[in-house]
Amino acid sequence: MRCGSPHREAPPSAWSRAPETLGSYPTLFAGTVTSVKDATVTFHADEWFKGGGAETVELVADTRVPETLTFSAGEHYIVGAKDGVVPPCGANVASPETIAKFRQAFGK
């Protein structure tokens, strides 16, 4: 599967998913990873774009699947999810520029 991004080994700044791509998921937020344990990633939701409102979000992200971003504690991401799972191609590193694009796309 190709998501229009570089290989997983590329630096996080190279990963980018458009608002139109991530906007197809029922859950979409900008958040900070608070913990990673095996395939479970816990986020503090900094800003919701679709489908939620909780401060803490726990999702499954199987990094053995190609094109799944490896999450790191303390880092900021824009995350799309469905049924509690971050699918391949379902996340961006959240730079100020990327967050601004998502705010504009979702009227925030």
mmCIF file with all atom_site columns, all heavy atoms in Angstrom, residues 45-64:
data_model
loop_
_atom_site.group_PDB
_atom_site.id
_atom_site.type_symbol
_atom_site.label_atom_id
_atom_site.label_alt_id
_atom_site.label_comp_id
_atom_site.label_asym_id
_atom_site.label_entity_id
_atom_site.label_seq_id
_atom_site.pdbx_PDB_ins_code
_atom_site.Cartn_x
_atom_site.Cartn_y
_atom_site.Cartn_z
_atom_site.occupancy
_atom_site.B_iso_or_equiv
_atom_site.pdbx_formal_charge
_atom_site.auth_seq_id
_atom_site.auth_comp_id
_atom_site.auth_asym_id
_atom_site.auth_atom_id
_atom_site.pdbx_PDB_model_num
ATOM 1   N N   . ALA A 1 45 ? -5.824  14.535 23.550 1.00 0.00 ? 45 ALA A N   1
ATOM 2   C CA  . ALA A 1 45 ? -6.428  15.195 22.389 1.00 0.00 ? 45 ALA A CA  1
ATOM 3   C C   . ALA A 1 45 ? -6.354  16.700 22.582 1.00 0.00 ? 45 ALA A C   1
ATOM 4   O O   . ALA A 1 45 ? -7.000  17.255 23.464 1.00 0.00 ? 45 ALA A O   1
ATOM 5   C CB  . ALA A 1 45 ? -7.864  14.730 22.208 1.00 0.00 ? 45 ALA A CB  1
ATOM 6   N N   . ASP A 1 46 ? -5.541  17.345 21.774 1.00 0.00 ? 46 ASP A N   1
ATOM 7   C CA  . ASP A 1 46 ? -5.368  18.787 21.866 1.00 0.00 ? 46 ASP A CA  1
ATOM 8   C C   . ASP A 1 46 ? -6.475  19.534 21.135 1.00 0.00 ? 46 ASP A C   1
ATOM 9   O O   . ASP A 1 46 ? -6.877  20.625 21.548 1.00 0.00 ? 46 ASP A O   1
ATOM 10  C CB  . ASP A 1 46 ? -4.008  19.188 21.274 1.00 0.00 ? 46 ASP A CB  1
ATOM 11  C CG  . ASP A 1 46 ? -2.847  18.497 21.969 1.00 0.00 ? 46 ASP A CG  1
ATOM 12  O OD1 . ASP A 1 46 ? -2.860  18.390 23.216 1.00 0.00 ? 46 ASP A OD1 1
ATOM 13  O OD2 . ASP A 1 46 ? -1.921  18.057 21.264 1.00 0.00 ? 46 ASP A OD2 1
ATOM 14  N N   . GLU A 1 47 ? -6.969  18.936 20.037 1.00 0.00 ? 47 GLU A N   1
ATOM 15  C CA  . GLU A 1 47 ? -7.996  19.596 19.232 1.00 0.00 ? 47 GLU A CA  1
ATOM 16  C C   . GLU A 1 47 ? -8.731  18.536 18.412 1.00 0.00 ? 47 GLU A C   1
ATOM 17  O O   . GLU A 1 47 ? -8.110  17.717 17.753 1.00 0.00 ? 47 GLU A O   1
ATOM 18  C CB  . GLU A 1 47 ? -7.331  20.607 18.299 1.00 0.00 ? 47 GLU A CB  1
ATOM 19  C CG  . GLU A 1 47 ? -8.274  21.403 17.463 1.00 0.00 ? 47 GLU A CG  1
ATOM 20  C CD  . GLU A 1 47 ? -7.582  22.524 16.704 1.00 0.00 ? 47 GLU A CD  1
ATOM 21  O OE1 . GLU A 1 47 ? -6.386  22.789 16.935 1.00 0.00 ? 47 GLU A OE1 1
ATOM 22  O OE2 . GLU A 1 47 ? -8.253  23.140 15.870 1.00 0.00 ? 47 GLU A OE2 1
ATOM 23  N N   . TRP A 1 48 ? -10.056 18.583 18.462 1.00 0.00 ? 48 TRP A N   1
ATOM 24  C CA  . TRP A 1 48 ? -10.886 17.642 17.699 1.00 0.00 ? 48 TRP A CA  1
ATOM 25  C C   . TRP A 1 48 ? -11.332 18.274 16.394 1.00 0.00 ? 48 TRP A C   1
ATOM 26  O O   . TRP A 1 48 ? -11.766 19.420 16.370 1.00 0.00 ? 48 TRP A O   1
ATOM 27  C CB  . TRP A 1 48 ? -12.117 17.235 18.507 1.00 0.00 ? 48 TRP A CB  1
ATOM 28  C CG  . TRP A 1 48 ? -11.789 16.202 19.535 1.00 0.00 ? 48 TRP A CG  1
ATOM 29  C CD1 . TRP A 1 48 ? -11.466 16.416 20.842 1.00 0.00 ? 48 TRP A CD1 1
ATOM 30  C CD2 . TRP A 1 48 ? -11.730 14.802 19.339 1.00 0.00 ? 48 TRP A CD2 1
ATOM 31  N NE1 . TRP A 1 48 ? -11.205 15.230 21.465 1.00 0.00 ? 48 TRP A NE1 1
ATOM 32  C CE2 . TRP A 1 48 ? -11.366 14.213 20.559 1.00 0.00 ? 48 TRP A CE2 1
ATOM 33  C CE3 . TRP A 1 48 ? -11.957 13.969 18.240 1.00 0.00 ? 48 TRP A CE3 1
ATOM 34  C CZ2 . TRP A 1 48 ? -11.212 12.841 20.731 1.00 0.00 ? 48 TRP A CZ2 1
ATOM 35  C CZ3 . TRP A 1 48 ? -11.808 12.599 18.399 1.00 0.00 ? 48 TRP A CZ3 1
ATOM 36  C CH2 . TRP A 1 48 ? -11.440 12.052 19.634 1.00 0.00 ? 48 TRP A CH2 1
ATOM 37  N N   . PHE A 1 49 ? -11.238 17.500 15.307 1.00 0.00 ? 49 PHE A N   1
ATOM 38  C CA  . PHE A 1 49 ? -11.752 17.928 14.011 1.00 0.00 ? 49 PHE A CA  1
ATOM 39  C C   . PHE A 1 49 ? -13.035 17.179 13.661 1.00 0.00 ? 49 PHE A C   1
ATOM 40  O O   . PHE A 1 49 ? -13.920 17.734 13.028 1.00 0.00 ? 49 PHE A O   1
ATOM 41  C CB  . PHE A 1 49 ? -10.703 17.717 12.909 1.00 0.00 ? 49 PHE A CB  1
ATOM 42  C CG  . PHE A 1 49 ? -9.450  18.493 13.140 1.00 0.00 ? 49 PHE A CG  1
ATOM 43  C CD1 . PHE A 1 49 ? -8.271  17.855 13.483 1.00 0.00 ? 49 PHE A CD1 1
ATOM 44  C CD2 . PHE A 1 49 ? -9.438  19.879 13.044 1.00 0.00 ? 49 PHE A CD2 1
ATOM 45  C CE1 . PHE A 1 49 ? -7.103  18.574 13.703 1.00 0.00 ? 49 PHE A CE1 1
ATOM 46  C CE2 . PHE A 1 49 ? -8.278  20.613 13.267 1.00 0.00 ? 49 PHE A CE2 1
ATOM 47  C CZ  . PHE A 1 49 ? -7.117  19.951 13.607 1.00 0.00 ? 49 PHE A CZ  1
ATOM 48  N N   . LYS A 1 50 ? -13.129 15.900 14.073 1.00 0.00 ? 50 LYS A N   1
ATOM 49  C CA  . LYS A 1 50 ? -14.312 15.082 13.798 1.00 0.00 ? 50 LYS A CA  1
ATOM 50  C C   . LYS A 1 50 ? -14.473 14.029 14.886 1.00 0.00 ? 50 LYS A C   1
ATOM 51  O O   . LYS A 1 50 ? -13.499 13.451 15.353 1.00 0.00 ? 50 LYS A O   1
ATOM 52  C CB  . LYS A 1 50 ? -14.162 14.315 12.471 1.00 0.00 ? 50 LYS A CB  1
ATOM 53  C CG  . LYS A 1 50 ? -14.356 15.109 11.224 1.00 0.00 ? 50 LYS A CG  1
ATOM 54  C CD  . LYS A 1 50 ? -14.162 14.259 9.984  1.00 0.00 ? 50 LYS A CD  1
ATOM 55  C CE  . LYS A 1 50 ? -15.237 13.218 9.835  1.00 0.00 ? 50 LYS A CE  1
ATOM 56  N NZ  . LYS A 1 50 ? -15.060 12.400 8.616  1.00 0.00 ? 50 LYS A NZ  1
ATOM 57  N N   . GLY A 1 51 ? -15.714 13.772 15.260 1.00 0.00 ? 51 GLY A N   1
ATOM 58  C CA  . GLY A 1 51 ? -16.089 12.570 15.976 1.00 0.00 ? 51 GLY A CA  1
ATOM 59  C C   . GLY A 1 51 ? -15.677 12.383 17.412 1.00 0.00 ? 51 GLY A C   1
ATOM 60  O O   . GLY A 1 51 ? -15.584 11.251 17.856 1.00 0.00 ? 51 GLY A O   1
ATOM 61  N N   . GLY A 1 52 ? -15.419 13.389 18.166 1.00 0.00 ? 52 GLY A N   1
ATOM 62  C CA  . GLY A 1 52 ? -15.037 13.129 19.547 1.00 0.00 ? 52 GLY A CA  1
ATOM 63  C C   . GLY A 1 52 ? -15.107 14.355 20.413 1.00 0.00 ? 52 GLY A C   1
ATOM 64  O O   . GLY A 1 52 ? -15.712 15.346 20.058 1.00 0.00 ? 52 GLY A O   1
ATOM 65  N N   . GLY A 1 53 ? -14.457 14.264 21.534 1.00 0.00 ? 53 GLY A N   1
ATOM 66  C CA  . GLY A 1 53 ? -14.445 15.353 22.480 1.00 0.00 ? 53 GLY A CA  1
ATOM 67  C C   . GLY A 1 53 ? -13.679 14.999 23.742 1.00 0.00 ? 53 GLY A C   1
ATOM 68  O O   . GLY A 1 53 ? -13.447 15.847 24.579 1.00 0.00 ? 53 GLY A O   1
ATOM 69  N N   . ALA A 1 54 ? -13.277 13.733 23.863 1.00 0.00 ? 54 ALA A N   1
ATOM 70  C CA  . ALA A 1 54 ? -12.557 13.290 25.063 1.00 0.00 ? 54 ALA A CA  1
ATOM 71  C C   . ALA A 1 54 ? -11.175 13.919 25.121 1.00 0.00 ? 54 ALA A C   1
ATOM 72  O O   . ALA A 1 54 ? -10.569 14.234 24.102 1.00 0.00 ? 54 ALA A O   1
ATOM 73  C CB  . ALA A 1 54 ? -12.431 11.769 25.066 1.00 0.00 ? 54 ALA A CB  1
ATOM 74  N N   . GLU A 1 55 ? -10.671 14.077 26.338 1.00 0.00 ? 55 GLU A N   1
ATOM 75  C CA  . GLU A 1 55 ? -9.307  14.581 26.517 1.00 0.00 ? 55 GLU A CA  1
ATOM 76  C C   . GLU A 1 55 ? -8.272  13.510 26.250 1.00 0.00 ? 55 GLU A C   1
ATOM 77  O O   . GLU A 1 55 ? -7.184  13.803 25.775 1.00 0.00 ? 55 GLU A O   1
ATOM 78  C CB  . GLU A 1 55 ? -9.106  15.095 27.953 1.00 0.00 ? 55 GLU A CB  1
ATOM 79  C CG  . GLU A 1 55 ? -9.483  16.520 28.132 1.00 0.00 ? 55 GLU A CG  1
ATOM 80  C CD  . GLU A 1 55 ? -9.055  17.045 29.495 1.00 0.00 ? 55 GLU A CD  1
ATOM 81  O OE1 . GLU A 1 55 ? -7.925  16.765 29.938 1.00 0.00 ? 55 GLU A OE1 1
ATOM 82  O OE2 . GLU A 1 55 ? -9.874  17.740 30.108 1.00 0.00 ? 55 GLU A OE2 1
ATOM 83  N N   . THR A 1 56 ? -8.599  12.269 26.593 1.00 0.00 ? 56 THR A N   1
ATOM 84  C CA  . THR A 1 56 ? -7.675  11.152 26.414 1.00 0.00 ? 56 THR A CA  1
ATOM 85  C C   . THR A 1 56 ? -8.255  10.181 25.395 1.00 0.00 ? 56 THR A C   1
ATOM 86  O O   . THR A 1 56 ? -9.426  9.826  25.456 1.00 0.00 ? 56 THR A O   1
ATOM 87  C CB  . THR A 1 56 ? -7.438  10.422 27.746 1.00 0.00 ? 56 THR A CB  1
ATOM 88  O OG1 . THR A 1 56 ? -6.912  11.359 28.695 1.00 0.00 ? 56 THR A OG1 1
ATOM 89  C CG2 . THR A 1 56 ? -6.455  9.279  27.582 1.00 0.00 ? 56 THR A CG2 1
ATOM 90  N N   . VAL A 1 57 ? -7.402  9.753  24.454 1.00 0.00 ? 57 VAL A N   1
ATOM 91  C CA  . VAL A 1 57 ? -7.820  8.822  23.414 1.00 0.00 ? 57 VAL A CA  1
ATOM 92  C C   . VAL A 1 57 ? -6.826  7.672  23.382 1.00 0.00 ? 57 VAL A C   1
ATOM 93  O O   . VAL A 1 57 ? -5.618  7.897  23.308 1.00 0.00 ? 57 VAL A O   1
ATOM 94  C CB  . VAL A 1 57 ? -7.862  9.503  22.029 1.00 0.00 ? 57 VAL A CB  1
ATOM 95  C CG1 . VAL A 1 57 ? -8.328  8.539  20.963 1.00 0.00 ? 57 VAL A CG1 1
ATOM 96  C CG2 . VAL A 1 57 ? -8.734  10.747 22.067 1.00 0.00 ? 57 VAL A CG2 1
ATOM 97  N N   . GLU A 1 58 ? -7.333  6.442  23.433 1.00 0.00 ? 58 GLU A N   1
ATOM 98  C CA  . GLU A 1 58 ? -6.484  5.255  23.358 1.00 0.00 ? 58 GLU A CA  1
ATOM 99  C C   . GLU A 1 58 ? -6.830  4.517  22.075 1.00 0.00 ? 58 GLU A C   1
ATOM 100 O O   . GLU A 1 58 ? -7.996  4.186  21.838 1.00 0.00 ? 58 GLU A O   1
ATOM 101 C CB  . GLU A 1 58 ? -6.729  4.362  24.569 1.00 0.00 ? 58 GLU A CB  1
ATOM 102 C CG  . GLU A 1 58 ? -5.735  3.222  24.673 1.00 0.00 ? 58 GLU A CG  1
ATOM 103 C CD  . GLU A 1 58 ? -5.918  2.451  25.964 1.00 0.00 ? 58 GLU A CD  1
ATOM 104 O OE1 . GLU A 1 58 ? -5.379  2.890  26.998 1.00 0.00 ? 58 GLU A OE1 1
ATOM 105 O OE2 . GLU A 1 58 ? -6.616  1.419  25.910 1.00 0.00 ? 58 GLU A OE2 1
ATOM 106 N N   . LEU A 1 59 ? -5.808  4.298  21.237 1.00 0.00 ? 59 LEU A N   1
ATOM 107 C CA  . LEU A 1 59 ? -6.004  3.661  19.944 1.00 0.00 ? 59 LEU A CA  1
ATOM 108 C C   . LEU A 1 59 ? -4.975  2.562  19.732 1.00 0.00 ? 59 LEU A C   1
ATOM 109 O O   . LEU A 1 59 ? -3.937  2.544  20.391 1.00 0.00 ? 59 LEU A O   1
ATOM 110 C CB  . LEU A 1 59 ? -5.858  4.687  18.812 1.00 0.00 ? 59 LEU A CB  1
ATOM 111 C CG  . LEU A 1 59 ? -6.840  5.853  18.808 1.00 0.00 ? 59 LEU A CG  1
ATOM 112 C CD1 . LEU A 1 59 ? -6.414  6.895  17.787 1.00 0.00 ? 59 LEU A CD1 1
ATOM 113 C CD2 . LEU A 1 59 ? -8.248  5.356  18.518 1.00 0.00 ? 59 LEU A CD2 1
ATOM 114 N N   . VAL A 1 60 ? -5.261  1.688  18.796 1.00 0.00 ? 60 VAL A N   1
ATOM 115 C CA  . VAL A 1 60 ? -4.327  0.641  18.397 1.00 0.00 ? 60 VAL A CA  1
ATOM 116 C C   . VAL A 1 60 ? -3.675  1.066  17.091 1.00 0.00 ? 60 VAL A C   1
ATOM 117 O O   . VAL A 1 60 ? -4.360  1.490  16.160 1.00 0.00 ? 60 VAL A O   1
ATOM 118 C CB  . VAL A 1 60 ? -5.050  -0.709 18.222 1.00 0.00 ? 60 VAL A CB  1
ATOM 119 C CG1 . VAL A 1 60 ? -4.107  -1.762 17.650 1.00 0.00 ? 60 VAL A CG1 1
ATOM 120 C CG2 . VAL A 1 60 ? -5.636  -1.163 19.544 1.00 0.00 ? 60 VAL A CG2 1
ATOM 121 N N   . ALA A 1 61 ? -2.349  0.950  17.029 1.00 0.00 ? 61 ALA A N   1
ATOM 122 C CA  . ALA A 1 61 ? -1.587  1.253  15.819 1.00 0.00 ? 61 ALA A CA  1
ATOM 123 C C   . ALA A 1 61 ? -0.545  0.161  15.646 1.00 0.00 ? 61 ALA A C   1
ATOM 124 O O   . ALA A 1 61 ? 0.449   0.122  16.372 1.00 0.00 ? 61 ALA A O   1
ATOM 125 C CB  . ALA A 1 61 ? -0.924  2.614  15.919 1.00 0.00 ? 61 ALA A CB  1
ATOM 126 N N   . ASP A 1 62 ? -0.797  -0.740 14.726 1.00 0.00 ? 62 ASP A N   1
ATOM 127 C CA  . ASP A 1 62 ? 0.101   -1.877 14.511 1.00 0.00 ? 62 ASP A CA  1
ATOM 128 C C   . ASP A 1 62 ? 1.218   -1.479 13.560 1.00 0.00 ? 62 ASP A C   1
ATOM 129 O O   . ASP A 1 62 ? 1.029   -1.456 12.340 1.00 0.00 ? 62 ASP A O   1
ATOM 130 C CB  . ASP A 1 62 ? -0.683  -3.066 13.964 1.00 0.00 ? 62 ASP A CB  1
ATOM 131 C CG  . ASP A 1 62 ? 0.151   -4.327 13.920 1.00 0.00 ? 62 ASP A CG  1
ATOM 132 O OD1 . ASP A 1 62 ? 1.381   -4.259 14.146 1.00 0.00 ? 62 ASP A OD1 1
ATOM 133 O OD2 . ASP A 1 62 ? -0.430  -5.398 13.656 1.00 0.00 ? 62 ASP A OD2 1
ATOM 134 N N   . THR A 1 63 ? 2.378   -1.171 14.102 1.00 0.00 ? 63 THR A N   1
ATOM 135 C CA  . THR A 1 63 ? 3.497   -0.693 13.287 1.00 0.00 ? 63 THR A CA  1
ATOM 136 C C   . THR A 1 63 ? 4.131   -1.805 12.455 1.00 0.00 ? 63 THR A C   1
ATOM 137 O O   . THR A 1 63 ? 5.027   -1.534 11.665 1.00 0.00 ? 63 THR A O   1
ATOM 138 C CB  . THR A 1 63 ? 4.568   -0.013 14.161 1.00 0.00 ? 63 THR A CB  1
ATOM 139 O OG1 . THR A 1 63 ? 5.021   -0.938 15.140 1.00 0.00 ? 63 THR A OG1 1
ATOM 140 C CG2 . THR A 1 63 ? 4.014   1.237  14.807 1.00 0.00 ? 63 THR A CG2 1
ATOM 141 N N   . ARG A 1 64 ? 3.685   -3.037 12.609 1.00 0.00 ? 64 ARG A N   1
ATOM 142 C CA  . ARG A 1 64 ? 4.171   -4.111 11.737 1.00 0.00 ? 64 ARG A CA  1
ATOM 143 C C   . ARG A 1 64 ? 3.541   -4.000 10.353 1.00 0.00 ? 64 ARG A C   1
ATOM 144 O O   . ARG A 1 64 ? 4.034   -4.589 9.400  1.00 0.00 ? 64 ARG A O   1
ATOM 145 C CB  . ARG A 1 64 ? 3.857   -5.483 12.329 1.00 0.00 ? 64 ARG A CB  1
ATOM 146 C CG  . ARG A 1 64 ? 4.580   -5.736 13.657 1.00 0.00 ? 64 ARG A CG  1
ATOM 147 C CD  . ARG A 1 64 ? 4.127   -7.015 14.266 1.00 0.00 ? 64 ARG A CD  1
ATOM 148 N NE  . ARG A 1 64 ? 2.689   -6.875 14.561 1.00 0.00 ? 64 ARG A NE  1
ATOM 149 C CZ  . ARG A 1 64 ? 1.911   -7.847 14.965 1.00 0.00 ? 64 ARG A CZ  1
ATOM 150 N NH1 . ARG A 1 64 ? 2.384   -9.057 15.123 1.00 0.00 ? 64 ARG A NH1 1
ATOM 151 N NH2 . ARG A 1 64 ? 0.627   -7.636 15.217 1.00 0.00 ? 64 ARG A NH2 1
#
